[in-house]
Amino acid sequence: MKTLAAIPCFNEELAIGSVVLKARKHVDDVLVVDDGSTDSTVEVATEAGAVVVSHEVNMGKGAAIKTALEYT
């Protein structure tokens, strides 16, 4: 069995890289659900080693969590 950390985020380019790197130490895979960010969140998360699923527009934390559950 594999473990997955799912991280919903919106405009978190400054913090998401370190969060992904820290999470990767404890799980097999890291999923970042980008909730319509307009900054470089997607690029930073990808460079840190996360799989990224993006919403085209901000749909809220509940939608991001639903997307994460559908991913698994």
Side-chain angles (χ1 to χ4, degrees):
M1 178 169 28
K2 288 183 147 187
T3 56
L4 173 75
I7 306 167
C9 65
F10 176 73
N11 288 341
E12 290 293 337
E13 70 181 353
L14 296 178
I16 195 64
S18 64
V19 172
V20 169
L21 290 172
K22 288 177 184 177
R24 288 181 62 205
K25 293 178 183 178
H26 304 284
V27 297
D28 296 307
D29 297 308
V30 177
L31 172 68
V32 169
V33 181
D34 172 59
D35 195 27
S37 294
T38 57
D39 62 2
S40 298
T41 297
V42 171
E43 292 83 2
V44 173
T46 302
E47 288 177 16
V51 173
V52 179
V53 175
S54 295
H55 294 165
E56 290 187 29
V57 296
N58 185 282
M59 296 169 41
K61 188 188 286 185
I65 292 170
K66 183 177 178 183
T67 298
L69 291 172
E70 290 170 353
Y71 175 82
T72 59

